[in-house]
Amino acid sequence: MGTSQNNQDVKVTPNDEEFEQVKLNTWQSIKKFLSELFDIRADTDRDATIEAVKKDISFKGHTAWILIFSIFVASIGLNVSSTAVVIGAMLISPLMGPIVGIGLSVAINDVDTLKRSLINLGVMVFLSVLTAFLYFKLSPLTEETPELIARTYPTILDVLIAIFGGLGLIVAKTKSGTIASVIFGVAIATALMPPLCTVGYGLAIGNASYAGGALYLFSINAVFIALSTFIVSKILQFPLVRYANSKRRKRTAQIATVIAIAVMIPSVWLFLKLLDQQVFENKTKDFVKNVIQYEGAEVVKFTQDYKSKNIDVYLIGRPVPQNKINEWLQELENTENLSETRLRIYQGADQSGEMAAKLSGEIKAGILEDLYVKNEQIIQNKDEQIRFLENEIAHLKVQNIPFKQLSEEIKINYENIETFSFSNKITTNFKTTDTVPVINIRWKKNVSSKNRKADLKKIEAWMKFKMKFDTLQVSEYP
């Protein structure tokens, strides 16, 4: 029996070894597949990439004019709030070249390329802002549009777009045979040009807040695109520029390191700050939506201020008792990221001091604005119906004119008239169509021109009064 058991154990061992071997081969196959799937080093042409990046840095001749024209196109698109036009301008903009050049030059310790990139970027930014400033200064259309307002201050989403857009751009450029569609897509996604146009707009209308916020947004995009280029270049181990002078090589490496640190530290701080602000705003919206609830009362408006950590909620309807408000305050203290926030409740029933002032001003204005926006289409439809009915009424008046009675009265009052006729004239300005009543008079031959003109004015005034016509045309036969 013991021998049989031992034989069974011996038979099981090879099966276990085979199973382990199969698992090992499977895992190695998966690792190989994933390595080949995400590996970009094998198809990277470092020398060609460096050459292509340096070539795109240059800014003169055709590139300068392309930039000017694209800025005009983008400014017009922002001015009329046309997303399609703005996208078209971003596709032809050459702004990306110097920014990528800055990131690459820092990564490979190329001071000459870094200087050239900074100079060209500075000239591009100045020319872009100047062009946009001149357009908005001379344009009669200076209304704030949604496209312009959206570029006046950055959000965490702008940072993320710049990071991943920059990574996509440099990875596409390092591939043997650049992927042009990726370059165009990054140009649209990172949106470098619209903020510069908004800077020019802010300067043209004298709004420093708009100009500063838009320049801030452009700087964020540019910094993170350059930072992404720097990181990918280091990962792909782009060859460093070698200098014959060892001291210069060492000094260049130190300068590049300082620049990299100077860019990375503020970028990380900025990212965390914007992330914290975005979290605060999202938490605030969720809190107001899910916690500020009371039967018979309704939130008509709420505001939030990240800097002062204030949340102002405006209520109408049934007054909320203080014990319920205290529950909301306690809930706010227990909410993550909102524990230090101050909640202020304004109610329609409170007519004292600051609350009454805010409710009578801000809230009423906000409610009226919401009602206007929601009912704008209805109002337009009603206006169209009113115009249609007015035209129909005028048309019926013209159709039902008592011609026989009028002709007898005019014969009695104006004995010098030989013939009297009435007709309807249909006119249009290709937007609306109108029916105009027309009266034609033929005078007897012995009537002077002075008397004819005087009588025509009297007839016109009399007919308008008698028939309640808003418009009437009186003329005489030749």
Side-chain angles (χ1 to χ4, degrees):
M1 292 292 291
T3 305
S4 175
Q5 184 65 37
N6 291 336
N7 290 339
Q8 289 178 0
D9 292 340
V10 171
K11 290 179 181 178
V12 172
T13 301
N15 291 335
D16 289 343
E17 291 178 353
E18 290 177 6
F19 179 70
E20 291 296 330
Q21 187 64 37
V22 170
K23 286 202 304 182
L24 181 61
N25 292 337
T26 302
W27 174 242
Q28 290 177 345
S29 298
I30 293 174
K31 284 176 62 178
K32 182 180 179 182
F33 170 76
L34 293 176
S35 177
E36 292 177 352
L37 178 64
F38 295 106
D39 182 30
I40 61 175
R41 296 185 181 184
D43 201 22
T44 296
D45 190 342
R46 295 170 178 80
D47 295 335
T49 300
I50 294 174
E51 183 180 351
V53 170
K54 290 182 177 181
K55 183 179 179 181
D56 290 341
I57 293 173
S58 179
F59 179 71
K60 57 184 178 180
H62 292 79
T63 312
W65 284 109
I66 291 173
L67 177 66
I68 292 173
F69 295 146
S70 61
I71 286 290
F72 272 119
V73 173
S75 298
I76 295 170
L78 293 171
N79 208 357
V80 299
S81 198
S82 173
T83 304
V85 174
V86 176
I87 289 175
M90 289 187 284
L91 283 174
I92 59 177
S93 168
L95 277 170
M96 201 77 71
I99 298 174
V100 176
I102 291 173
L104 179 65
S105 59
V106 173
I108 64 175
N109 295 348
D110 191 344
V111 175
D112 294 334
T113 301
L114 176 61
K115 290 179 181 178
R116 195 158 63 92
S117 299
L118 290 172
I119 292 172
N120 280 278
L121 178 62
V123 174
M124 280 188 174
V125 170
F126 174 77
L127 188 59
S128 299
V129 172
L130 178 62
T131 303
F133 171 80
L134 292 175
Y135 169 79
F136 285 109
K137 198 68 175 176
L138 299 176
S139 173
L141 304 175
T142 57
E143 182 182 356
E144 298 176 0
T145 63
E147 287 287 336
L148 281 168
I149 300 300
R151 270 81 182 191
T152 56
Y153 193 78
T155 65
I156 188 63
L157 296 178
D158 295 309
V159 175
L160 295 175
I161 290 170
I163 291 173
F164 293 110
L167 291 172
L169 175 65
I170 188 59
V171 169
K173 277 185 170 290
T174 58
K175 185 181 184 303
S176 300
T178 301
I179 309 174
S181 60
V182 176
I183 307 299
F184 295 149
V186 171
I188 296 172
T190 52
L192 289 167
M193 179 170 294
L196 291 179
C197 294
T198 307
V199 174
Y201 171 77
L203 295 176
I205 65 172
N207 191 323
S209 176
Y210 281 4
L215 186 60
Y216 187 25
L217 175 57
F218 171 80
S219 301
I220 287 175
N221 286 341
V223 165
F224 278 99
I225 291 171
L227 184 60
S228 300
T229 304
F230 171 83
I231 292 172
V232 172
S233 300
K234 284 297 187 183
I235 292 175
L236 295 178
Q237 299 178 350
F238 274 53
L240 300 178
V241 174
R242 301 297 179 185
Y243 296 96
N245 189 327
S246 59
K247 290 184 178 180
R248 185 183 181 190
R249 180 174 69 248
K250 184 178 180 180
R251 186 173 66 254
T252 302
Q254 291 174 345
I255 293 173
T257 303
V258 170
I259 292 175
I261 295 174
V263 168
M264 292 179 67
I265 292 178
S267 300
V268 173
W269 175 81
L270 176 62
F271 177 84
L272 295 176
K273 180 182 177 183
L274 290 175
L275 178 61
D276 186 54
Q277 179 177 347
Q278 192 70 48
V279 170
F280 172 80
E281 293 176 355
N282 292 339
K283 287 282 186 179
T284 299
K285 292 176 183 177
D286 292 339
F287 179 82
V288 173
K289 180 180 179 182
N290 300 321
V291 177
I292 307 297
Q293 296 179 355
Y294 187 75
E295 186 177 356
E298 183 179 355
V299 177
V300 291
K301 181 181 178 183
F302 78 92
T303 60
Q304 54 192 351
D305 191 335
Y306 172 73
K307 293 181 180 179
S308 63
K309 300 295 183 182
N310 286 335
I311 303 175
D312 294 342
V313 180
Y314 303 94
L315 303 172
I316 60 172
R318 184 180 175 188
V320 181
Q322 187 60 43
N323 62 338
K324 186 64 177 179
I325 296 176
N326 292 337
E327 291 180 12
W328 293 345
L329 294 173
Q330 186 62 41
E331 183 72 21
L332 184 66
E333 290 182 4
N334 298 329
T335 302
E336 187 180 2
N337 300 112
L338 296 180
S339 58
E340 303 296 327
T341 304
R342 180 187 177 193
L343 175 64
R344 297 184 293 189
I345 302 295
Y346 299 99
Q347 302 190 64
D350 191 336
Q351 298 299 320
S352 62
E354 181 185 2
M355 293 185 181
K358 284 183 174 290
L359 285 169
S360 62
E362 297 178 11
I363 291 302
K364 288 181 181 178
I367 294 173
L368 290 174
E369 182 180 357
D370 291 341
L371 288 174
Y372 176 80
V373 171
K374 292 178 181 178
N375 296 297
E376 184 177 7
Q377 186 61 46
I378 298 175
I379 293 171
Q380 290 177 351
N381 292 337
K382 288 184 179 293
D383 288 342
E384 291 176 2
Q385 292 176 3
I386 291 171
R387 284 194 294 269
F388 173 76
L389 292 174
E390 287 177 345
N391 289 336
E392 287 297 310
I393 292 172
H395 183 66
L396 290 174
K397 282 184 179 179
V398 170
Q399 286 183 333
N400 297 328
I401 184 171
F403 181 75
K404 184 176 181 182
Q405 179 183 346
L406 288 176
S407 61
E408 290 177 354
E409 289 183 14
I410 204 168
K411 181 180 180 182
I412 294 172
N413 294 315
Y414 300 94
E415 59 183 14
N416 291 325
I417 294 180
E418 188 175 276
T419 61
F420 167 75
S421 62
F422 177 86
S423 63
N424 295 327
K425 181 171 70 173
I426 300 175
T427 63
T428 180
N429 59 1
F430 305 104
K431 292 182 180 178
T432 59
T433 302
D434 195 12
T435 303
V436 179
V438 178
I439 293 177
N440 290 299
I441 303 292
R442 175 175 285 135
W443 301 95
K444 294 179 180 179
K445 295 181 179 180
N446 59 350
V447 181
S448 66
S449 175
K450 181 179 179 181
N451 291 337
R452 288 201 303 266
K453 289 181 180 180
D455 287 343
L456 282 176
K457 289 183 179 180
K458 292 180 181 179
I459 293 172
E460 181 179 355
W462 171 62
M463 287 292 294
K464 283 184 177 180
F465 174 77
K466 184 177 182 61
M467 301 307 301
K468 302 294 189 277
F469 286 148
D470 294 328
T471 57
L472 176 69
Q473 182 178 331
V474 179
S475 59
E476 58 179 321
Y477 288 110

